[in-house]
Amino acid sequence: MSAPLEGIRVVELGAYTTGPLCARYLSNLGAEIIKVEPLKGESMRTFAYKIGDVSYIFHVHNVNKKSVPIDTNTKDGKAVLFELLRTADVLIENFAYGSMKKWGLDYDTIKAVNPALIYCSLSGFGHSGPDRHLRAFDTVIQGMAGVMSQTGTADGPPTKIGISAADNMGAAAGAMAITAALHHKRRTGRGQHINISMHDIMGWLTSECWALVGTESGPRRNGNQHFAVAPQNVFAAMDGLVAIEIETQKQLDSLCAMFTIDHIALEDSKAHETDIESCLQSWAAGRTADETVAGCLANNVPASRVQGIDNVAENPFSWERDILVTLQHPESGPVKVLGSPFKSNRSSGVVSSAAPAIGQHTKEVLGDILGYSDEQIEKLAADDVIAIADEPSSA
Amino acid sequence: MAEGWCAAAVAGRLLSELGARVIKVEPPEGDRLRRQPPNVADGTSPTFQNLNANKESIVLDADNKVLLELISKADILLTDQTTLDDREITLNDDELEGLNPRLVACHFSPFGRSGALAGQPGGELIAQAMGGVIATTGHPGELPHRAGPPLASHNAALLGGAAILSALYDRENSGQGSIIDMSLYDASVSLLYTFLPAYFLSGNTPGPMGNKHMMVAPWDNYPTKDGWAIVCIANDRQWQDFLRLMGRAELIEDSRFAENDQRVLEDIRPLVDGLVVEFLSDKTTDEAIRLLRDHNVPAGPIYDVPTLIKDPQFLDREMVHTFGDAIAGGSLTAGSIFKMSETPGRVHSPAPLLNQHADIELEPPS
């Protein structure tokens, strides 16, 4: 078993979610991640919901990483960062447009340091267009990209997707773009600048319904239904909610057989939606959720529970799939974090170490990779250019 | 091998934007999206055209010979479990490795290929239902809702794309292909990083919060004189900027809500929300958003989809691509999200007619 990105070195200059999560995905694929953070630590460390004095989300986003705090505003700090970047394949940053330039870390500057470096910028609106300067947060982007207008019910307000969809998918898109750029780098020896816009991605996400623009109803909020295929909805069983979803003609035929309904063509299914849904609702109303799901599945009709967060967290399947895993943290003990979504016959995804303490890997990285002497490292730390974690007492 | 608007078909489109030649293997009657309303005409639909731009089409024959031949010559195989089940096709690992040991296959499925739920059916709705997306979307006390757009499928497509391109990169060193198991369940649970910690820490089950943010306040869509404005005050500095803008600088020192950790508390959140509502009550959406942004407070409007596809930012980024009248209904497709200086993503060709590339000839794989 070997992870596909073993040997790829990524420097992360990230904060909060999109950059750190993008780097974490690459770490799950085997890349080495060096998290260059401010001397006092990355901003997410102090976010709400803490284990000890570190935010739980920080623990989730930063597994597998090496922490090397550098004050990149100092001349010496910048020199250390540039030396690291000369050895790296990828740089990920997710600061507001213009910040990296202000700090003297923009693509043109870094390209001169290492022309083969893949420099990935993840930002709210990307590095071009009239809105590129806007401060962007997930809900603002979901609102401006049409996502909220498509979520909720027709007679209710526009509603955001509960999870931070823009932050999340920006990270996944960055991971895909970076892995594509690695191929180009190997073929040509050239790096490049990737600029991913969370707004582009949220707008792209709405494209399934673009065919409705200009039609009588137009794109609208459909509750739990689909705009073109039925039935797809959530039904109340005696003790919980059940999702029932028809996608194909064969599945619709199975459903019709189950309720002795005459043949319906999939493309006409919306016209029969009310009737079919009332059959399903009265059927579910007399059963438990588990019985409803089992009954549907036995008749080749796709169905599932609607899992709450508690169900996801407690379902043995989540642990069996290793999408939830427990890591040992040297101070906090066992911490439950997200596992790797990347599984193959050659690698089950890397989840190897808990999130680092500030400066936990400074000596290792500067010593082993850059060849700095202990004396040099101590001097840089004394000058507040870098930070080094306290030695663990047990070591 | 992926019908409908599913993760594997989205992944195929994304790979095509990055330069891959993508061949869509369709059943004799064509992909079901070709018949999906609205505006079905001439064997296709605007929705099919939208998703399948850049691709080629070949029809599956009765004994799957075409498929097996394609697999033997391909670099990448994308499959969708629903499509394979529907056509009663099984492709086991040994068979794939026998056909093409250098193949990178990515099987997209709702629950993956291992574990107690392996093989259970489902699409976008079921992935969102099991993956915690529905339970966390909507308004407190009401029936929760799916994310309107296909979040689970697109996120799985992006993660699948990263897995595929990594495996392909590794193949250059190892000479070995790879069989990837990308589940929409794993991809969706990966999205829950704000909700799972809250549960693990408190044992309480977070549910839908409307447009509020569990860990940050004030954060919502708030009424203005003529509509709504989204305001997201993400940190204490923005809170202070907001209070100064409001002319209530004296509240900066107010110990009830000076810090975000206080503002998110159940009894404090209504107070800070109330201040935002008060600020917006005599302003139009446009005025409010301009003022807030000028003072570094994140804010924005809510656009519908027709507004989005005319939005200057979205158009400047070339995110809307139109193919000419040649295609039924004229059709819109999204531009590429891959803005890259050396290898920009490209949308280059309209979607294929059914079996347009029947005479395809393929070189053996690289």
Side-chain angles (χ1 to χ4, degrees), chain A residues 16 46, chain B residues 216-217 233-244 252 257-263:
Chain A
Y16 295 110
T46 58
Chain B
V216 190
I233 296 183
N235 57 42
D236 298 341
R237 189 168 41 78
Q238 290 168 9
W239 173 240
Q240 293 159 15
D241 287 341
F242 168 74
L243 290 174
R244 280 189 207 99
I252 289 174
F257 41 58
E259 292 178 10
N260 183 63
D261 282 1
Q262 301 169 304
R263 292 192 294 277

Side-chain angles (χ1 to χ4, degrees), chain A residues 138-139 142 148 151-152 157-164, chain B residues 133-145 195 206-214 219-221 269:
Chain A
D138 185 85
T139 307
Q142 289 197 37
M148 287 176 64
T151 302
T159 303
K160 75 162 178 146
I161 301 174
I163 58 100
S164 302
Chain B
V133 176
I134 291 180
T136 50
T137 299
H139 300 270
E142 297 174 15
L143 187 72
H145 308 301
F195 292 96
M209 298 195 59
N211 295 317
K212 297 183 197 303
H213 191 300
M214 187 168 50
W219 181 297
D220 208 339
N221 62 328
R269 196 187 278 262

Side-chain angles (χ1 to χ4, degrees), chain A residues 134-262:
Chain A
L134 286 184
R135 295 193 63 90
F137 287 88
D138 185 85
T139 307
V140 172
I141 294 171
Q142 289 197 37
M144 291 179 70
V147 169
M148 287 176 64
S149 80
Q150 293 297 298
T151 302
T153 56
D155 52 1
T159 303
K160 75 162 178 146
I161 301 174
I163 58 100
S164 302
D167 293 345
N168 266 293
M169 292 187 66
M176 184 171 177
I178 288 165
T179 51
L182 283 171
H183 288 263
H184 180 72
K185 174 172 153 47
R186 174 149 62 195
R187 285 180 193 145
T188 65
R190 295 165 68 95
Q192 58 178 313
H193 185 211
I194 300 167
N195 88 90
I196 296 287
S197 151
M198 288 148 63
H199 181 260
D200 286 357
I201 292 166
M202 287 294 97
W204 164 70
L205 187 62
T206 70
S207 61
E208 187 193 10
C209 75
W210 287 7
L212 293 167
V213 174
T215 62
E216 200 178 325
S217 69
R220 57 203 285 262
R221 291 187 287 286
N222 297 298
N224 281 306
Q225 296 173 335
H226 187 269
F227 65 86
V229 182
Q232 292 192 12
N233 212 335
V234 167
F235 300 91
M238 280 157 51
D239 61 346
L241 298 175
V242 172
I244 298 176
E245 179 181 30
I246 294 300
E247 288 189 285
T248 72
Q249 182 68 56
K250 216 179 245 185
Q251 292 167 349
L252 183 57
D253 292 347
S254 299
L255 179 85
C256 288
M258 186 176 165
F259 291 100
T260 341
I261 300 169
D262 289 341

Side-chain angles (χ1 to χ4, degrees), chain B residues 149-324:
Chain B
L151 171 74
S153 301
H154 281 228
N155 194 50
L158 290 167
L159 294 175
I164 289 163
L165 291 167
S166 299
L168 212 55
Y169 189 83
D170 177 61
R171 187 182 78 168
E172 296 301 310
N173 300 326
S174 68
Q176 288 181 274
S178 198
I179 297 175
I180 298 162
D181 171 14
M182 177 55 65
S183 86
L184 273 65
Y185 185 78
D186 290 349
S188 299
V189 172
S190 293
L191 304 170
L192 301 178
Y193 63 81
T194 43
F195 292 96
L196 284 166
Y199 174 76
F200 286 138
L201 284 175
S202 69
N204 297 326
T205 303
M209 298 195 59
N211 295 317
K212 297 183 197 303
H213 191 300
M214 187 168 50
M215 298 179 175
V216 190
W219 181 297
D220 208 339
N221 62 328
Y222 298 92
T224 62
K225 219 164 68 177
D226 65 344
W228 300 94
I230 299 170
V231 181
C232 301
I233 296 183
N235 57 42
D236 298 341
R237 189 168 41 78
Q238 290 168 9
W239 173 240
Q240 293 159 15
D241 287 341
F242 168 74
L243 290 174
R244 280 189 207 99
L245 167 64
M246 212 187 154
R248 302 290 298 275
E250 79 279 5
L251 294 177
I252 289 174
E253 302 300 328
D254 194 311
S255 61
R256 288 173 300 169
F257 41 58
E259 292 178 10
N260 183 63
D261 282 1
Q262 301 169 304
R263 292 192 294 277
V264 297
L265 297 173
E266 209 174 317
D267 49 337
I268 301 298
R269 196 187 278 262
L271 300 179
V272 296
D273 282 338
L275 287 167
V276 179
V277 170
E278 184 188 323
F279 171 74
L280 295 175
S281 61
D282 60 348
K283 296 172 186 70
T284 65
T285 298
D286 282 352
E287 286 165 0
I289 289 169
R290 203 169 44 244
L291 270 171
L292 288 161
R293 284 176 174 173
D294 284 350
H295 291 79
N296 296 319
V297 179
I302 295 176
Y303 289 154
D304 59 15
V305 171
T307 308
L308 168 74
I309 62 174
K310 293 188 178 128
D311 175 49
Q313 172 68 19
F314 207 52
L315 294 178
D316 191 89
R317 297 275 294 175
E318 298 182 341
M319 284 308 297
V320 182
H321 192 99
T322 312
F323 288 112

Side-chain angles (χ1 to χ4, degrees), chain B residues 8-45:
Chain B
V10 173
R13 166 61 188 269
L14 292 170
L15 291 167
S16 80
E17 294 167 13
L18 292 165
R21 180 178 175 190
V22 177
I23 299 161
K24 187 170 187 68
V25 181
E26 300 193 57
E29 71 277 18
D31 188 300
R32 64 178 185 266
L33 272 190
R34 291 183 181 273
R35 296 178 297 282
Q36 180 174 299
N39 298 328
V40 174
D42 303 327
T44 192
S45 74

